[in-house]
Amino acid sequence: MGQKIHPYGLRLGIVTDWKSRWYSDKDYAAHVLEDSKIRDYLRGELKRGAVSRIEIERIGEKKLQIDVHTARPGVVIGRSGSEAERLRSGLEKLSGRNVKFNVIEVQNAETDAQLLARSVADQLEGRVSFRRALKRTVQTALKAGAQGVRVQASGRLGGADMGRREWYREGRVPLHTLRADVDYGAATARTTVGAIGIKVWVYKGDILPGSASTREKIAAEARLAAGGPAQRRAPAKARAEAAAGAGGGKRLIEAGGGKRLIEAGGGKRKEGGKRLIEAGGGKRPSPTASEAKAEFDAAKEEVDPVTAGAAEAATAPVEAAAVEAAPVEATAAPVEAAPVAEADDVAPAEETTEPTTPEVADEESADPAPSGEEE
């Protein structure tokens, strides 16, 4: 009880694969030492490259394939591949073999245990509080989709004189379950008070070796070994699109783009009462020359009666307007005169309104005179 074992080594051959893939009877020790030197060389050259893991595969006696999984492929590759070429030449000098150097991007860096451990170590080296760094790492992994996370720091935490160990855990981390996909990573923070070790466990769910995908993979490899076609299973998206096409002839799309069939709520309908629109807004096919001309003529016919009525109203005789305006202005004059007489007896302060009222009346009465002359 209480004895710990590496989560990766415990599950080798069950749910995890080897990071070094080769076999040798005579040169086993030399190959192991060479693998260690290769990993030390790459991690020393790519300190800021966010390297998750390094896989080494030996092909014959003269070929060596190295896969670097990183969250920053641009840093590893360099401008126009200059950095990758420099690393490849250095590996060839180190191993004395032809090296094929591959850079693979880590899709979800927030759930990679090695990258999380390196992130905590960098924060501790930057004098961040260890409690804040550990809690932030746990929350980041859980938000990224991990089912359980455990983070542990050991050493002179907070500059204390005596070293201790503190850890935080959320969710479940089943270390004794072989089918559990538990990712493990460790890093060392070189602080001013000494080295602080960081360990991270990330539980991503269970992997069932007897699942349909594993059986299909084994069958495909058997067919390939027998000389027949592999017949790999199609991706999930392709299978879903094929099923949707076989059912109703519709095209399955992903959210955020593409075209989709919807029920016609308005506008021009196509066959079957449906119309085709795009997710970001509707599009109509460009009309032909004859259709465009027909639409133009129809719009012109609708506009012509309106323009004709507006033209007749604009060219109406001015006399009618003048005749209608005369009685209105005549009745307006006595109405405005009454308040002026009351203003003289009651409110002297309103004397400022007396000159404005007759002036307005004079201006209004002055307009009919020219119109009368025109009559």
Side-chain angles (χ1 to χ4, degrees), residues 4 15 17 69 72 116 128 163 166 169 173 201 226 247 276 285:
K4 304 298 184 294
V15 295
D17 195 7
H69 296 258
R72 299 175 183 172
L116 291 176
V128 177
E166 289 197 12
R169 183 184 65 189
V173 185
W201 294 263
L276 187 65

Side-chain angles (χ1 to χ4, degrees), residues 279-290:
K283 273 192 177 182
R284 50 178 297 185
S286 57
T288 61
S290 59

Side-chain angles (χ1 to χ4, degrees), residues 186-259:
T188 303
R190 305 292 178 179
T191 64
T192 56
V193 297
I196 296 178
I198 308 298
K199 295 181 179 180
V200 178
W201 294 263
V202 179
Y203 173 55
K204 302 179 182 179
D206 290 345
I207 297 178
L208 302 178
S211 61
S213 60
T214 306
R215 289 195 299 269
E216 290 182 2
K217 181 179 178 182
I218 295 173
E221 291 177 354
R223 286 192 297 267
L224 189 62
Q231 295 181 0
R232 292 279 185 179
R233 190 183 187 189
K237 181 181 176 183
R239 296 197 307 271
E241 287 184 354
K250 297 181 181 179
R251 176 170 173 263
L252 191 66
I253 63 164
E254 294 181 350
K259 295 181 179 180

Side-chain angles (χ1 to χ4, degrees), residues 164-345:
R164 68 181 190 276
R165 178 181 61 189
E166 289 197 12
W167 54 272
Y168 294 90
R169 183 184 65 189
E170 287 195 19
R172 43 187 303 263
V173 185
L175 298 180
H176 290 184
T177 306
L178 293 179
R179 67 171 178 267
D181 184 10
V182 179
D183 192 12
Y184 173 78
T188 303
R190 305 292 178 179
T191 64
T192 56
V193 297
I196 296 178
I198 308 298
K199 295 181 179 180
V200 178
W201 294 263
V202 179
Y203 173 55
K204 302 179 182 179
D206 290 345
I207 297 178
L208 302 178
S211 61
S213 60
T214 306
R215 289 195 299 269
E216 290 182 2
K217 181 179 178 182
I218 295 173
E221 291 177 354
R223 286 192 297 267
L224 189 62
Q231 295 181 0
R232 292 279 185 179
R233 190 183 187 189
K237 181 181 176 183
R239 296 197 307 271
E241 287 184 354
K250 297 181 181 179
R251 176 170 173 263
L252 191 66
I253 63 164
E254 294 181 350
K259 295 181 179 180
R260 58 195 178 103
L261 286 170
I262 66 168
E263 294 293 337
K268 295 183 178 180
R269 298 187 179 183
K270 291 191 174 182
E271 297 180 359
K274 297 181 179 180
R275 59 194 179 99
L276 187 65
I277 68 167
E278 290 196 353
K283 273 192 177 182
R284 50 178 297 185
S286 57
T288 61
S290 59
E291 293 178 353
K293 185 177 180 182
E295 292 182 2
F296 176 75
D297 294 339
K300 186 176 179 182
E301 291 177 0
E302 294 178 358
V303 173
D304 286 342
V306 179
T307 55
E312 292 177 0
T315 58
V318 186
E319 293 81 5
V323 172
E324 293 178 358
V328 175
E329 293 168 355
T331 55
V335 174
E336 294 176 356
V340 172
E342 294 176 359
D344 295 337
D345 300 333

Side-chain angles (χ1 to χ4, degrees), residues 53 55 67-73 102-107:
R53 65 183 185 274
E55 296 180 354
D67 299 336
V68 177
H69 296 258
T70 174
R72 299 175 183 172
N102 298 328
V103 179
I104 302 174
E105 181 180 5
V106 177
Q107 297 298 329

Side-chain angles (χ1 to χ4, degrees), residues 30-212:
H31 288 348
V32 171
L33 181 60
E34 185 177 308
D35 290 353
S36 178
K37 290 181 179 179
I38 289 173
R39 289 191 171 91
D40 292 342
Y41 170 76
L42 289 177
R43 293 190 185 279
E45 294 291 332
L46 300 173
K47 291 182 179 180
R48 297 299 177 183
V51 177
S52 173
R53 65 183 185 274
I54 300 171
E55 296 180 354
I56 301 173
E57 183 175 358
R58 300 180 185 275
I59 306 171
E61 296 293 334
K62 298 294 183 181
K63 293 183 181 179
L64 190 65
Q65 178 176 329
I66 300 175
D67 299 336
V68 177
H69 296 258
T70 174
R72 299 175 183 172
V75 176
V76 180
I77 296 173
R79 180 172 297 180
S80 302
S82 59
E83 185 69 14
E85 185 63 26
R86 184 183 67 84
L87 293 173
R88 191 184 67 82
S89 61
L91 291 172
E92 287 183 347
K93 293 179 181 179
L94 181 63
S95 62
R97 295 178 173 85
N98 296 328
V99 176
K100 182 180 179 182
F101 189 77
N102 298 328
V103 179
I104 302 174
E105 181 180 5
V106 177
Q107 297 298 329
N108 195 356
E110 288 80 7
T111 58
D112 191 283
Q114 182 61 41
L115 296 180
L116 291 176
R118 187 67 258 173
S119 174
V120 174
D122 292 341
Q123 294 181 54
L124 296 182
E125 291 176 356
R127 298 180 180 273
V128 177
S129 172
F130 74 94
R131 288 191 179 90
R132 180 181 301 177
L134 298 182
K135 291 180 180 179
R136 184 184 302 171
T137 301
V138 171
Q139 296 298 327
T140 300
L142 290 177
K143 288 181 180 178
Q147 298 186 18
V149 185
R150 177 182 174 182
V151 184
Q152 175 181 297
S154 305
R156 295 183 59 186
L157 302 178
D161 294 337
M162 183 177 293
R164 68 181 190 276
R165 178 181 61 189
E166 289 197 12
W167 54 272
Y168 294 90
R169 183 184 65 189
E170 287 195 19
R172 43 187 303 263
V173 185
L175 298 180
H176 290 184
T177 306
L178 293 179
R179 67 171 178 267
D181 184 10
V182 179
D183 192 12
Y184 173 78
T188 303
R190 305 292 178 179
T191 64
T192 56
V193 297
I196 296 178
I198 308 298
K199 295 181 179 180
V200 178
W201 294 263
V202 179
Y203 173 55
K204 302 179 182 179
D206 290 345
I207 297 178
L208 302 178
S211 61

